[in-house]
Amino acid sequence: MQKKTPFYQLLTAALFICLVLSFAVTYVTNLCLDNDKALDERCYDGSVVAGDGLTDRFNRSFYQNSASLDFVRRFEYRLFGIVNHSNVIVGKNGFLFEVEDKENGYNYLKDYLGMHTFTDGESAAILAELQRREQRYNERGCQYLLVILPNAQSVYSEYMPHYLGAISGNTRLAVLDRYLQANGFDNYINMTDVLRDFKDHSLPLYNNTENSLNALGHYYPYIMLCASFSDNAYDYESLISRGSLDFFQHYTVGRSLAKEAGLENVLLNHTISLSNDVRVDYRLLFNSGYVAKTVRNNYGGIAASSVSSLLLQFSSNRDRLLAETFYSNTFDFVTYQPDHEDNTMVFERADPSVVIQFIYENELSQLLSGQGT
């Protein structure tokens, strides 16, 4: 004989189901109607749920839910070592590489493969622009120098996925470098070979989760610039030698590429910073929030060079802060500008003997249009 289920048990089960359903309906309704902040830009497969109807909102809240997608991405990276993101490539040794810089119209992947190079016409236009800048600053009584900082993939090409093969010899920078040399323009420094020679796999020169130099990486352009102003960089009595520096290694939240892929708390940035006991033999003259100028405490003693005042133009304030210790400890007056704009007021306050523009490889297209000058 089959035993019947008591009525109160059926009632309890029904109430429990109703409670769960009510919570589910409330949760989904909130997601659909009032939780756009929790939405990712795209679904897992890269598509976007369009429309503003109730069904569209429901699908968007489910398939583009940031928390759910972040969980999937973290699980995917930890388990399989891959990232399902259209603009981020997973490399070796914890490195992430970018696919496209839309702001500058630059495709890292195509350039790595030699499919995004400059034409002869574009190289000629860049040469003309650099000559124009050189002439303009010479007329103001100072020198001009361009420093090209290579992409992380150009220095650490061995960390790129193996299926891409070796880096092409016809990248934009390689082609431009050959063109400038062939046409006798030498007021620039291409840092690619120098950084490749000095890279230390125990202490990276670049942030592994962003295409940017770290504190150690900024040291080598500094040495090259000192050498360009003198027959021997070590003629500078105030030069900071590599042996006198201690760098601190620590792991911090993943930077721009890790954040873009939703992995900032999973794939940490191998951060290299100067130790706190580095000498600071300079002081701040002014800092407007946009431009800053420093002076050495015992200025006037630089040997072997007439270069005493620099105007350094970086692409970002972060680069300036990482490089400040090197230049401000060595040169009498250093003015820092976080862009490449030809600002008359900044120039007059800097009163430079040399204007130095630092530009990353992915920003070279700015030289085509004379942007920021």
Side-chain angles (χ1 to χ4, degrees):
M1 183 176 179
Q2 196 173 26
K3 193 173 182 181
K4 292 185 179 179
T5 303
F7 175 74
Y8 73 88
Q9 290 184 2
L10 293 174
L11 182 61
T12 302
L15 289 173
F16 177 76
I17 292 172
C18 289
L19 186 64
V20 170
L21 287 175
S22 65
F23 274 115
V25 170
T26 302
Y27 174 73
V28 170
T29 302
N30 286 335
L31 283 177
C32 291
L33 302 178
D34 192 34
N35 201 23
D36 286 344
K37 293 181 180 179
L39 296 179
D40 204 278
E41 292 183 1
R42 298 179 181 277
C43 301
Y44 178 79
D45 62 359
S47 63
V48 176
V49 179
D52 203 38
L54 184 61
T55 302
D56 298 322
R57 292 190 178 202
F58 174 82
N59 289 335
R60 190 159 47 242
S61 68
F62 186 81
Y63 293 108
Q64 286 181 226
N65 181 270
S66 295
S68 299
L69 289 173
D70 285 348
F71 173 80
V72 172
R73 288 165 182 157
R74 289 194 299 269
F75 179 81
E76 188 176 50
Y77 180 79
R78 283 175 169 158
L79 193 62
F80 303 109
I82 60 175
V83 171
N84 184 41
H85 195 283
S86 60
N87 200 45
V88 180
I89 295 176
V90 177
K92 303 170 186 174
N93 209 31
F95 267 72
L96 295 179
F97 296 99
E98 195 167 3
V99 173
E100 186 178 11
D101 174 3
K102 293 182 179 179
E103 182 180 352
N104 289 294
Y106 177 77
N107 190 296
Y108 291 87
L109 187 56
K110 288 183 178 179
D111 196 25
Y112 181 88
L113 298 172
M115 301 165 58
H116 194 56
T117 191
F118 286 128
T119 64
D120 286 345
E122 290 171 329
S123 295
I126 290 176
L127 173 60
E129 171 62 24
L130 294 178
Q131 290 171 332
R132 184 183 71 83
R133 295 185 188 190
E134 180 183 25
Q135 180 180 357
R136 187 181 68 227
Y137 285 117
N138 287 345
E139 290 171 351
R140 296 181 183 182
C142 67
Q143 302 175 52
Y144 168 74
L145 187 64
L146 178 72
V147 179
I148 304 174
L149 306 174
N151 295 329
Q153 67 186 33
S154 297
V155 176
Y156 290 99
S157 58
E158 67 272 23
Y159 290 166
M160 290 287 280
H162 70 276
Y163 57 81
L164 292 175
I167 188 171
S168 170
N170 291 313
T171 64
R172 278 189 168 191
L173 180 52
V175 168
L176 179 63
D177 190 35
R178 292 194 294 266
Y179 188 89
L180 295 179
Q181 290 184 34
N183 286 274
F185 185 82
D186 56 5
N187 275 20
Y188 77 103
I189 299 175
N190 177 1
M191 287 299 303
T192 305
D193 290 338
V194 174
L195 291 175
R196 284 174 178 170
D197 289 342
F198 282 100
K199 67 182 176 184
D200 181 343
H201 292 285
S202 63
L203 285 178
L205 304 178
Y206 285 76
N207 294 297
N208 59 299
T209 59
E210 184 176 75
N211 182 47
S212 61
L213 288 169
N214 58 31
L216 177 58
H218 274 288
Y219 175 76
Y220 295 106
Y222 156 75
I223 287 294
M224 289 297 294
L225 282 169
C226 289
S228 72
F229 299 143
S230 170
D231 292 336
N232 183 357
Y234 292 92
D235 286 340
Y236 286 90
E237 61 187 31
S238 53
L239 183 89
I240 302 175
S241 65
R242 174 67 180 86
S244 68
L245 295 173
D246 289 322
F247 289 92
F248 176 56
Q249 299 186 67
H250 51 123
Y251 287 88
T252 56
V253 172
R255 297 197 175 178
S256 59
L257 292 178
K259 290 178 180 177
E260 190 173 352
L263 296 172
E264 64 270 27
N265 295 316
V266 177
L267 184 52
L268 300 181
N269 192 72
H270 188 181
T271 303
I272 307 296
S273 306
L274 275 170
S275 62
N276 293 328
D277 58 356
V278 65
R279 88 167 190 248
V280 179
D281 191 26
Y282 64 92
R283 64 185 185 276
L284 194 65
L285 280 180
F286 65 82
N287 186 352
S288 68
Y290 167 64
V291 64
K293 186 173 184 177
T294 62
V295 58
R296 280 206 315 140
N297 291 332
N298 298 308
Y299 70 88
I302 293 181
S305 175
S306 60
V307 174
S308 60
S309 180
L310 303 180
L311 172 55
L312 305 184
Q313 297 178 337
F314 289 96
S315 299
S316 70
N317 251 323
R318 178 182 290 176
D319 285 320
R320 166 241 156 166
L321 293 172
L322 291 173
E324 179 181 301
T325 300
F326 307 132
Y327 297 99
S328 292
N329 271 312
T330 303
F331 297 92
D332 288 348
F333 296 94
V334 185
T335 303
Y336 298 93
Q337 185 179 339
D339 57 37
H340 305 125
E341 181 182 351
D342 182 13
N343 188 306
T344 302
M345 184 178 298
V346 171
F347 185 87
E348 290 176 351
R349 297 190 75 176
D351 190 23
S353 48
V354 184
V355 174
I356 304 172
Q357 295 180 331
F358 295 84
I359 188 169
Y360 277 95
E361 184 177 352
N362 58 295
E363 300 169 331
L364 286 174
S365 60
Q366 294 179 13
L367 300 176
L368 281 168
S369 60
Q371 180 180 334
T373 62

